[in-house]
Amino acid sequence: MAEREKRGRIGGKSPNPYHEDKKYPEPTECPRCHLNYRNGRWQHKDDTDESHESHSSHCPACRREIDRLPAGLLYLSGPYLDRHREEILNIVNNQSKSAAANRPLQRVMWIEQGSDNTEIATTTNHLALRIGKAIEDACKGNLIIKHAHDAQLVRVYWERSE
Ligand SMILES: [Zn+2]
């Protein structure tokens, strides 16, 4: 059974520069990943749009990558992971690719192997949840979701012991 702990709320209007809802002048281009901010959201450049001067500002995802400040952390652990590592990392890759196709601010920032778990950091809390739930769907196991007090970070723990 998944144990769910929810404090505060994720998202909503927030003054922090990492937040996806922060407004920018239009058009703004991210100098790092070259996403364009148009019609109120960051999106891939439209080739048909040979527009004039853009403002320049890092998008929220690049800001998080530069500062190494994830919005989601997913921890994978348990003996099942050791035996199915490749399969599970494929789920991670597939989920992050399909999430990024629709929402390019959703990115995996790093996958790090620790001594007792594998840590996956994401630029949005939604992506950590999405990947964790996809692994639970495919591999069963136990998923625990913990929202931080300040609601800026979600931690997701997935474990399967056998
Ligand atoms: Zn960017």
Short mmCIF file of all heavy atoms in Angstrom, two decimals, residues 7 15 29 33 44 81 84 96 99 111 138-139 141 152 161:
data_model
loop_
_atom_site.label_atom_id
_atom_site.label_comp_id
_atom_site.label_asym_id
_atom_site.label_seq_id
_atom_site.Cartn_x
_atom_site.Cartn_y
_atom_site.Cartn_z
N ARG A 7 1.43 17.81 2.46
CA ARG A 7 1.42 19.03 3.25
C ARG A 7 1.48 20.21 2.30
O ARG A 7 2.26 20.21 1.37
CB ARG A 7 2.65 19.11 4.15
CG ARG A 7 2.69 18.03 5.21
CD ARG A 7 3.69 18.44 6.26
NE ARG A 7 3.91 17.38 7.22
CZ ARG A 7 5.01 16.65 7.27
NH1 ARG A 7 5.99 16.89 6.42
NH2 ARG A 7 5.14 15.72 8.17
N PRO A 15 6.28 33.17 -6.51
CA PRO A 15 7.22 34.17 -7.01
C PRO A 15 8.58 33.58 -7.36
O PRO A 15 9.43 34.27 -7.87
CB PRO A 15 7.34 35.13 -5.83
CG PRO A 15 7.09 34.27 -4.63
CD PRO A 15 6.12 33.22 -5.06
N GLU A 29 13.85 34.03 -25.44
CA GLU A 29 14.52 32.78 -25.78
C GLU A 29 15.49 32.40 -24.68
O GLU A 29 16.21 33.26 -24.15
CB GLU A 29 15.28 32.93 -27.10
CG GLU A 29 16.00 31.64 -27.48
CD GLU A 29 16.52 31.62 -28.91
OE1 GLU A 29 15.97 32.36 -29.75
OE2 GLU A 29 17.47 30.87 -29.17
N CYS A 33 18.95 26.29 -23.73
CA CYS A 33 18.27 25.18 -24.42
C CYS A 33 17.49 25.68 -25.64
O CYS A 33 16.93 24.87 -26.36
CB CYS A 33 17.34 24.45 -23.46
SG CYS A 33 15.90 25.41 -22.98
N HIS A 44 9.13 24.61 -27.87
CA HIS A 44 10.16 24.49 -28.89
C HIS A 44 9.95 25.57 -29.95
O HIS A 44 8.83 25.97 -30.21
CB HIS A 44 10.12 23.10 -29.54
CG HIS A 44 10.53 22.03 -28.58
ND1 HIS A 44 11.82 21.88 -28.15
CD2 HIS A 44 9.80 21.07 -27.97
CE1 HIS A 44 11.87 20.87 -27.30
NE2 HIS A 44 10.67 20.37 -27.17
N LEU A 81 15.35 -4.06 -7.96
CA LEU A 81 16.00 -3.07 -8.82
C LEU A 81 17.33 -3.60 -9.36
O LEU A 81 17.65 -3.41 -10.53
CB LEU A 81 16.23 -1.78 -8.02
CG LEU A 81 17.03 -0.67 -8.70
CD1 LEU A 81 16.30 -0.13 -9.92
CD2 LEU A 81 17.31 0.46 -7.72
N HIS A 84 16.62 -5.91 -12.19
CA HIS A 84 15.88 -5.39 -13.35
C HIS A 84 16.29 -3.95 -13.67
O HIS A 84 15.48 -3.15 -14.13
CB HIS A 84 14.37 -5.43 -13.09
CG HIS A 84 13.85 -6.81 -12.88
ND1 HIS A 84 13.87 -7.45 -11.67
CD2 HIS A 84 13.30 -7.69 -13.76
CE1 HIS A 84 13.33 -8.66 -11.81
NE2 HIS A 84 12.99 -8.83 -13.06
N SER A 96 10.43 10.11 -19.38
CA SER A 96 10.94 11.48 -19.47
C SER A 96 10.86 11.98 -20.90
O SER A 96 10.57 13.15 -21.15
CB SER A 96 12.36 11.59 -18.90
OG SER A 96 13.27 10.92 -19.72
N ALA A 99 7.16 12.80 -21.61
CA ALA A 99 6.76 14.01 -20.88
C ALA A 99 7.34 15.25 -21.55
O ALA A 99 6.65 16.26 -21.72
CB ALA A 99 7.23 13.93 -19.43
N ILE A 111 20.74 11.06 -12.86
CA ILE A 111 20.46 9.73 -12.30
C ILE A 111 21.76 9.32 -11.62
O ILE A 111 22.78 9.17 -12.28
CB ILE A 111 20.08 8.71 -13.40
CG1 ILE A 111 18.82 9.19 -14.13
CG2 ILE A 111 19.88 7.33 -12.79
CD1 ILE A 111 18.41 8.29 -15.30
N ALA A 138 4.38 -0.89 -13.67
CA ALA A 138 5.05 -1.94 -14.43
C ALA A 138 5.64 -3.01 -13.52
O ALA A 138 5.70 -4.18 -13.89
CB ALA A 138 6.15 -1.33 -15.30
N CYS A 139 6.12 -2.62 -12.35
CA CYS A 139 6.93 -3.52 -11.52
C CYS A 139 6.32 -3.80 -10.15
O CYS A 139 6.95 -4.48 -9.34
CB CYS A 139 8.32 -2.92 -11.30
SG CYS A 139 9.17 -2.48 -12.83
N GLY A 141 5.63 -3.31 -6.39
CA GLY A 141 6.47 -2.67 -5.37
C GLY A 141 5.68 -1.64 -4.58
O GLY A 141 4.44 -1.60 -4.62
N GLN A 152 7.88 23.04 -2.46
CA GLN A 152 8.70 23.26 -3.65
C GLN A 152 9.35 21.97 -4.13
O GLN A 152 9.93 21.94 -5.20
CB GLN A 152 9.81 24.28 -3.36
CG GLN A 152 9.31 25.64 -2.92
CD GLN A 152 8.56 26.39 -4.00
OE1 GLN A 152 8.57 25.99 -5.16
NE2 GLN A 152 7.93 27.48 -3.64
N SER A 161 11.10 -5.30 -2.63
CA SER A 161 12.06 -6.11 -1.89
C SER A 161 12.33 -7.45 -2.55
O SER A 161 13.42 -8.00 -2.41
CB SER A 161 11.61 -6.28 -0.45
OG SER A 161 10.26 -6.69 -0.44
#
